[in-house]
Amino acid sequence: MNKSKRPFTKSKRSFRRRLPPIQSGDRIDYRTMSLISRFISEQGKILSRRVNRVTLKQQRLITIAIKQARILSLLPFLNNQKQFER
């Protein structure tokens, strides 16, 4: 039998690191709708930190900004686009 010298080697896959969604110059504020809208699902829910790939501090700031924008009616609380049929 022909045994290889290293049977349990990992395959060398090159992967590109995903860029962080928030750069250092971006201000997390309720007025920056282009930034805030990236962290909301289609239903209008705030996406989790793992999905967003942001730090804990950034996630807290995003949550506060989204809630402020909802109160000022810049964002909807719910985004139900379903048409009710009778």
Side-chain angles (χ1 to χ4, degrees):
M1 292 199 149
N2 189 4
K3 287 188 176 181
S4 62
K5 292 180 182 176
R6 288 184 254 157
F8 297 111
T9 57
K10 283 188 176 180
S11 63
K12 297 203 174 194
R13 285 189 296 159
S14 65
F15 67 95
R16 220 175 89 222
R17 267 188 112 164
R18 290 184 58 180
L19 294 172
I22 300 175
Q23 272 69 35
S24 59
D26 291 341
R27 282 186 49 89
I28 302 171
D29 200 4
Y30 67 93
R31 290 171 283 184
T32 55
M33 298 306 296
S34 59
L35 180 70
I36 288 177
S37 59
R38 284 189 246 161
F39 304 108
I40 299 176
S41 69
E42 290 182 8
Q43 291 82 28
K45 295 181 180 180
I46 301 172
L47 294 173
S48 69
R49 203 179 126 220
R50 282 186 294 159
V51 176
N52 290 339
R53 297 194 181 234
V54 292
T55 63
L56 182 62
K57 194 173 187 179
Q58 288 172 338
Q59 181 70 20
R60 284 192 191 123
L61 291 171
I62 288 166
T63 305
I64 291 168
I66 290 171
K67 288 178 180 180
Q68 286 175 341
R70 284 176 176 169
I71 289 169
L72 293 170
S73 69
L74 299 173
L75 281 175
F77 280 92
L78 292 174
N79 193 11
N80 291 336
Q81 296 294 329
K82 293 179 183 175
Q83 297 293 325
F84 295 106
E85 296 178 11
R86 289 187 184 194

